[in-house]
Amino acid sequence: MKGSFLVNGRTNEWAFEPDATLLDVFRANGHPEVHRGCDEGVCGSCAVLLEGKLVNSCQVFAASAMEKDILTVAGIGTIHEPHPLQTAFVESGAVQCGFCTPAAILASLALLRRNPNPSDEEIHSALDGNYCRCTGYVKIIEAVRLASRRMSSHD
Amino acid sequence: MTDFSVVGKPVLKVDSLSLACGAARYTADYEVRDPLYLAFAYSPVAHGDIVSLDDSEARAMEGVVDVFHAFNTETELFTTAGQGYPEPSPYDTRLFNKRVRYAGEIVAAVLAGTRSEARAAAAAVKVEYAPLPALFDPEKAMDKESPKVHGDDGAYAPLPVPFRPEENVAGEVLFSFGDMEKGFADADFIVDETYRTHYTAHCALEPHATSAFFDEKGRLVIVATTQVPFHARRTVSRVIGIPAHMIRVIKPRIGGGFGSKQEIILELYAALAAWKHKRNVKAEMSRSEVFTAARTRHPMRVRIKTGVKNDGSITALDMGDVMNTGAYGAHALTVLSNAGSKVLPMFNKIENMNFVGRAVYTNLPIGGAYRGYGATQGYFAFNQQMDGIARRLGIDFLDFVKRHHIREGETSEVFKAIGEGTEGVSQIIRSCKLGECIDKGAEAIGWDRLRGKKVTNGPVVKGIGAAVSMQGSGIPQVDMASASMKMNDDGSFHLYVGATDIGTGSDTILSQIAAETLNVPLEMILILSSDTDLTPFDTGAYASSTTYVSGQAVLRCAEKVRSQILSVAEKMTGATPENLVFKESRVVNTATGEETSFSDIACFAMYSHDQFQIQASASFTGSESPPPFMAQFAEVDVDTETGKVRVVKFVSVGDCGRPLNPKLVEGQIEGATMNGIGYALTEQYLFNSKGKMTNNSFWDYKLFGTLDMPEMKTIVVDSDEPTGPYGAKSISEIGINGPAPAIANAIYDAVGARIYDLPLTPEKVLKAIRARTEG
């Protein structure tokens, strides 16, 4: 089947199998920044924002995401113009292998949008669906704190 | 301390912005034109002969191009372990074995037009097995009547090391010094305990993948999730029969390894299919396939018998290890030897020591390299044993450790006794701040305030425990690294290393070493790792070797470049070398104050006369392997009604020489520690009675997430390793050694019950509490 997907502010017409997941469609159509870590809805590496909500794209049928607003990490900032969260992850040492990073940044973004000054507990709770095997999470938590401070001081 | 401008600074990881922006590319992200896809069929039986295999239905299915299996694809015996050549692991497997040796073994590979076509056809491959009695208990492996896992197919060890498949022995390590009989006779009491560790998986978030495609000259390019690109090229060439000069292996960004990608698996099948059909091929493991078709941490039974005098001296130590290598012997000998060689030197004053280690085959998943590499298993036993002895002596555990541990200027007989399938390499410890690590950690965890106090809150009792460990920095006289470097006309430098950054940050560390040596800012070093066509050789990312071994190669290379810069500057300025000093990106004549920029020097060399490009290469092999040291501390709350253990706080204090990048050092310690806490408490393979793993999913194999994590404190104690690049030793593995024993010791501190088997589950803790209460 065919459908229209609004990803990072751009509309795309993509063909896909009826049982394809949103993750399958991303990976087949030039969005490798969305990572396949487990394909079973646990590790969170494939998370994106769908209508502003954090979802594991491996658990979403592509057909159900048509015409909806989708954000991947490539849509929030670039190497030349990074988002404050991307900068905070880099500066805090929260990026090791980087495989979980795009999704962890999106999970953090979803948190900071609804709660610009989260407590540590709220940060831990918001990121619990994003496994990281490299960092032990310590510097990821620090990165979210740093971004929260910076982003709210800009407001 | 010398003042450095780039090393020792928390400079940003050179690839991190690219990773954070989703711009970096991993193996599965490579766009391959018109690829075919591979999928696999696996054995459901743990041990048996394949009587027949019918691929006709699979071949008739939509999109199927080929089906590979034991009846149409013969290869010679080899090992999947990515180690130096010849490997210390036995050659005991083929691409497809006619006898399967564990449930989950690859029996067929299907090549088809799409991934789903390949998977559907793999499910349609019909295999008939004649089951054989299976061996699941490693401790019965050497019994006469036990089934033999190998010996039917000519398996052999390519190095002259012990290998006795007729006894299920895949590797054996023996050493002894002193007089054991006298040692035990001199003891006032003997402590003889047995500890067991379990099967676990690395769980790197990126599953194993390979993209194989042909370049415009018809050479096969293999992009792979690998820690060992050069070993991968060698093994693919040998096993598939493709001339090595026709193979290029590229390591892109890697989504974590932890040892799991020191193994050559998908590369072989993808190369086989691509080479035969001259088509581009992609292969990716699913998460469940990573659990059972990739590698695991070897389970180990560790028995320690210790002779102790009432004055606290240890008169003899006898360690007996039975390590389960599973169906094949990947890394069997070397992981086993590390359980002795990385553990026993810790207490170097023991004059009588004996080590008997055997790696045995079973019909269970295959062991492999895993962060800690045997030391983790050994230290689980060692630290609990010493905690028990200290308690019996009435001595504080930390005081007991401080009395016995190895120090600067000292050596251990063990270094000389055990190597990689050979004798070891004698060495003197030149840097060790373990004492300071212990003191700082004790303060941070509140040792004096909480140890032995059994602070109680309803059914919950608090306990404090500690563990110490050491690792190595590469394999001495084995691991070799090379680097090459060229200077560009703007005064920047290209640095090419075979060293394999798998997320560890080695690209950053090696760039820092080059930048420091050449007095340039970090951004003037443009690093490329690793590509068998472009970068020089390096054994790869394992054995905690990259900072120390590859770092020395980079340092030497950069020093050669530096001296070339100096000689060009002499020619340009007419100054004598004594008057020339390096300042940031320029050479200054101290006699005249004249400054010559690196850019001018590079252009002079390239364009003026007697032209040449400033460039150099260097190799390095360590003649020793200076160990990093670590003390780790756990504060736990044990619920005496449920047996549940909650780690409240965890402190790790490490000495890795001079930390070249403190943030990366902390990150390595924190990641290893969290991995170790999961190893201690929740991670484990569960098997049914037929040897099949029943929890090969992240739903049923529990990793720690952010809601599970304790308060974490990491402290880095600087030392200066004179043999290391800018004083550095390794840090990547050691942090995983302490959590399990520190937590087990903390449980004992809380409830007076010792758990000898990992993982430390509520059931075991509750049982141990009840046994103690009832006993």
Side-chain angles (χ1 to χ4, degrees):
Chain A
M1 54 195 288
K2 267 196 156 183
S4 167
F5 294 86
L6 180 60
V7 183
N8 301 335
R10 282 174 62 171
T11 304
N12 309 272
E13 294 296 325
W14 288 331
F16 58 97
E17 295 296 314
D19 63 349
T21 65
L22 188 53
L23 173 61
D24 293 333
V25 170
F26 281 138
R27 294 203 56 85
N29 291 286
H31 283 281
E33 74 275 16
V34 188
H35 296 153
R36 190 190 303 273
C38 72
D39 231 359
E40 51 189 29
V42 183
C43 78
S45 301
C46 65
V48 297
L49 297 189
L50 179 63
E51 299 286 355
K53 264 189 75 179
L54 189 74
V55 297
N56 287 333
S57 64
C58 73
Q59 299 298 301
V60 175
F61 281 121
S64 71
M66 289 189 301
E67 316 286 347
K68 291 187 180 161
D69 186 26
I70 304 168
L71 192 61
T72 79
V73 82
I76 71 167
T78 65
I79 291 185
H80 300 108
E81 275 182 85
H83 185 275
L85 261 166
Q86 289 166 322
T87 314
F89 267 64
V90 168
E91 290 177 15
S92 304
V95 183
Q96 285 192 31
C97 85
F99 199 78
C100 72
T101 307
I105 286 174
L106 291 171
S108 308
L109 181 64
L111 168 69
L112 296 182
R113 278 181 178 173
R114 66 174 184 267
N115 181 358
N117 295 296
S119 66
D120 275 4
E121 273 154 15
E122 287 163 335
I123 297 173
H124 283 251
S125 182
L127 284 160
D128 195 51
N130 295 84
Y131 278 167
C132 171
R133 196 60 154 172
C134 294
T135 64
Y137 305 109
V138 178
K139 295 192 175 357
I140 293 179
I141 307 287
E142 285 171 14
V144 182
R145 282 194 209 118
L146 176 65
S148 162
R149 283 200 301 275
R150 285 185 182 164
M151 286 163 73
S152 44
S153 70
H154 281 297
D155 284 348
Chain B
M1 192 192 278
T2 326
D3 200 19
F4 295 115
S5 54
V6 188
V7 304
K9 310 290 181 209
V11 297
L12 303 184
K13 190 162 169 288
V14 295
D15 53 350
S16 56
L17 187 58
S18 161
L19 292 160
C21 295
R25 290 291 164 263
Y26 298 85
T27 299
D29 304 341
Y30 268 67
E31 285 192 19
V32 171
R33 196 166 44 81
D34 192 21
L36 298 172
Y37 293 85
L38 270 182
F40 298 93
Y42 297 97
S43 167
V45 305
H47 199 194
D49 286 317
I50 301 180
V51 181
S52 67
L53 189 150
D54 180 3
D55 61 11
S56 54
E57 191 185 318
R59 283 180 184 277
M61 288 169 76
E62 175 86 26
V64 173
V65 174
D66 206 345
V67 182
F68 300 91
H69 49 73
F71 296 95
N72 64 18
T73 307
E74 297 231 350
T75 65
E76 55 188 300
L77 288 158
F78 70 101
T79 177
T80 55
Q83 300 175 291
Y85 182 75
E87 300 86 343
S89 298
Y91 285 3
D92 58 3
T93 192
R94 299 172 195 274
L95 220 43
F96 303 98
N97 294 292
K98 281 192 176 143
R99 173 170 288 180
V100 294
R101 297 182 177 85
Y102 78 104
E105 177 161 348
I106 291 172
V107 293
V110 174
L111 186 67
T114 68
R115 186 168 289 120
S116 53
E117 286 167 352
R119 286 194 179 150
V125 174
K126 292 191 179 61
V127 188
E128 193 188 334
Y129 299 89
L132 292 163
L135 172 64
F136 298 134
D137 184 350
E139 293 172 45
K140 291 187 179 139
M142 293 179 66
D143 293 357
K144 247 195 171 69
E145 62 278 13
S146 284
K148 302 296 173 266
V149 181
H150 285 273
D152 57 300
D153 192 28
Y156 66 101
L159 278 175
V161 293
F163 178 66
R164 297 192 301 277
E166 65 281 6
E167 294 176 56
N168 284 321
V169 170
E172 182 178 69
V173 177
L174 308 171
F175 81 86
S176 197
F177 55 83
D179 182 338
M180 295 305 290
E181 211 170 305
K182 181 175 177 302
F184 283 118
D186 287 347
D188 292 318
F189 63 93
I190 308 277
V191 178
D192 187 350
E193 300 288 1
T194 299
Y195 308 82
R196 287 178 179 82
T197 70
H198 59 313
Y199 265 110
T200 51
H202 313 72
C203 302
L205 280 183
E206 178 201 28
H208 294 59
T210 294
S211 298
F213 55 93
F214 288 90
D215 69 11
E216 67 273 22
K217 290 178 183 160
R219 293 171 73 232
L220 184 64
V221 182
I222 300 173
V223 181
T225 55
T226 183
Q227 300 176 218
V228 286
F230 290 89
H231 297 333
R233 181 180 61 176
R234 190 189 76 234
T235 299
V236 167
S237 169
R238 181 173 162 269
V239 175
I240 310 300
I242 307 169
H245 71 266
M246 294 297 284
I247 303 171
R248 171 183 184 182
V249 177
I250 294 173
K251 178 227 60 115
R253 298 336 288 168
I254 303 292
F258 316 110
S260 66
K261 293 164 183 170
Q262 199 196 333
E263 206 74 8
I264 296 123
I265 308 171
L266 286 182
E267 296 90 326
L268 291 163
Y269 297 95
L272 168 76
W275 194 252
K276 179 177 172 191
H277 291 279
K278 298 297 181 284
R279 288 283 305 270
N280 299 339
V281 171
K282 290 194 91 165
E284 276 177 65
M285 283 191 190
S286 68
R287 179 54 55 185
S288 66
E289 288 175 305
V290 176
F291 274 111
T292 52
R295 301 295 174 257
T296 66
R297 184 188 293 285
H298 296 94
M300 205 179 282
R301 185 220 72 184
V302 182
R303 180 184 164 191
I304 306 181
K305 184 179 168 189
T306 328
V308 187
K309 278 178 103 69
N310 289 330
D311 67 3
S313 53
I314 300 174
T315 56
L317 189 150
D318 190 0
M319 193 181 215
D321 291 358
V322 176
M323 188 185 87
N324 179 3
T325 189
Y328 297 96
H331 301 269
L333 181 79
T334 40
V335 170
L336 173 69
S337 64
N338 263 17
S341 65
K342 297 284 186 281
V343 176
L344 297 176
M346 178 58 86
F347 279 16
N348 66 327
K349 284 130 200 115
I350 304 172
E351 287 175 358
N352 309 298
M353 233 180 224
N354 188 50
F355 180 85
V356 178
R358 293 197 178 91
V360 296
Y361 288 118
T362 61
N363 294 113
L364 287 168
I366 308 166
Y370 192 154
R371 191 178 218 168
Y373 204 82
T376 310
Q377 293 93 316
Y379 274 116
F380 173 67
F382 183 86
N383 279 290
Q384 286 213 75
Q385 181 86 356
M386 296 310 160
D387 189 66
I389 292 171
R391 284 176 180 279
R392 184 152 168 191
L393 289 164
I395 302 175
D396 179 80
F397 173 67
L398 300 180
D399 291 337
F400 185 67
V401 171
K402 280 196 199 164
R403 172 169 168 182
H404 289 280
H405 78 73
I406 194 165
R407 284 156 206 281
E408 275 178 22
E410 296 180 356
T411 186
S412 160
E413 290 276 329
V414 180
F415 293 134
K416 198 165 55 187
I418 321 183
E420 292 269 300
T422 56
E423 278 204 343
V425 178
S426 189
Q427 65 176 359
I428 288 167
I429 298 298
R430 302 171 198 273
S431 59
C432 174
K433 292 271 192 282
L434 182 57
E436 199 178 325
C437 293
I438 291 171
D439 291 342
K440 289 203 159 144
E443 197 188 333
I445 200 80
W447 184 267
D448 293 339
R449 186 166 47 83
L450 292 169
R451 173 80 164 178
K453 301 298 188 293
K454 296 184 195 298
V455 176
T456 302
N457 178 11
V460 176
V461 187
K462 194 176 284 302
I464 301 287
V468 293
S469 67
M470 56 193 267
Q471 197 83 29
S473 298
I475 311 166
Q477 296 176 13
V478 173
D479 287 341
M480 193 278 268
S482 320
S484 65
M485 197 179 257
K486 62 176 184 180
M487 188 176 191
N488 301 309
D489 50 16
D490 69 341
S492 66
F493 299 87
H494 278 282
L495 171 61
Y496 300 100
V497 291
T500 302
D501 191 332
I502 56 170
T504 50
S506 65
D507 279 357
T508 306
I509 296 286
L510 299 176
S511 298
Q512 285 181 263
I513 290 171
E516 186 69 48
T517 311
L518 290 163
N519 293 64
V520 292
L522 189 63
E523 62 269 20
M524 295 305 270
I525 304 293
L526 307 163
I527 190 165
L528 177 72
S529 77
S530 12
D531 178 330
T532 59
D533 265 21
L534 302 178
T535 63
F537 177 85
D538 189 293
T539 39
Y542 59 88
S544 290
S545 63
T546 307
T547 296
Y548 184 76
V549 180
S550 310
Q552 279 286 12
V554 170
L555 178 63
R556 278 150 204 246
C557 183
E559 281 171 345
K560 288 183 186 177
V561 170
R562 191 183 156 100
S563 78
Q564 290 179 28
I565 292 171
L566 200 60
S567 64
V568 174
E570 277 175 54
K571 201 183 282 180
M572 287 173 73
T573 61
T576 52
E578 312 83 71
N579 289 335
L580 292 179
V581 297
F582 279 70
K583 287 215 168 134
E584 188 177 304
S585 292
R586 61 200 195 275
V587 175
V588 179
N589 183 343
T590 50
T592 63
E594 182 191 3
E595 297 196 350
T596 314
S597 73
F598 277 12
S599 174
D600 286 347
I601 291 170
C603 287
F604 183 88
M606 275 181 211
Y607 300 116
S608 297
H609 59 89
D610 294 338
Q611 287 98 319
F612 76 111
Q613 181 163 21
I614 293 174
Q615 59 185 329
S617 65
S619 299
F620 181 77
T621 301
S623 55
E624 33 195 277
S625 176
F629 293 90
M630 194 168 284
Q632 292 174 289
F633 299 80
E635 175 192 334
V636 304
D637 280 349
V638 183
D639 187 325
T640 53
E641 285 177 354
T642 63
K644 189 160 168 44
V645 176
R646 189 170 77 88
V647 181
V648 180
K649 183 172 180 180
F650 201 94
V651 176
S652 298
V653 193
D655 156 20
C656 62
R658 175 169 294 119
L660 298 188
N661 187 319
K663 255 199 170 47
L664 290 179
V665 165
E666 287 169 11
Q668 286 298 311
I669 298 173
E670 286 157 1
T673 297
M674 192 63 75
N675 191 342
I677 295 173
Y679 176 64
L681 294 177
T682 62
E683 297 182 34
Q684 62 174 325
Y685 277 44
L686 300 171
F687 298 101
N688 68 15
S689 62
K690 292 177 176 149
K692 188 174 186 311
M693 185 189 188
T694 57
N695 63 329
N696 52 346
S697 144
F698 276 162
W699 287 106
D700 301 312
Y701 182 100
K702 170 64 184 163
L703 301 190
F704 264 52
T706 44
L707 283 177
D708 309 301
M709 63 187 284
E711 180 190 343
M712 300 265 286
K713 174 113 183 132
T714 304
I715 301 169
V716 180
V717 173
D718 287 16
S719 69
D720 187 3
E721 171 54 43
T723 69
Y726 294 106
K729 302 186 280 189
S730 86
I731 193 60
S732 58
E733 295 184 86
I734 186 170
I736 204 167
N737 295 332
I743 292 167
N745 285 342
I747 293 171
Y748 188 93
D749 191 54
V751 297
R754 195 164 287 288
I755 320 293
Y756 296 89
D757 302 342
L758 282 174
L760 310 166
T761 58
E763 293 87 343
K764 285 182 202 164
V765 174
L766 199 57
K767 204 171 144 195
I769 292 172
R770 288 190 177 152
R772 189 190 58 84
T773 327
E774 285 155 19

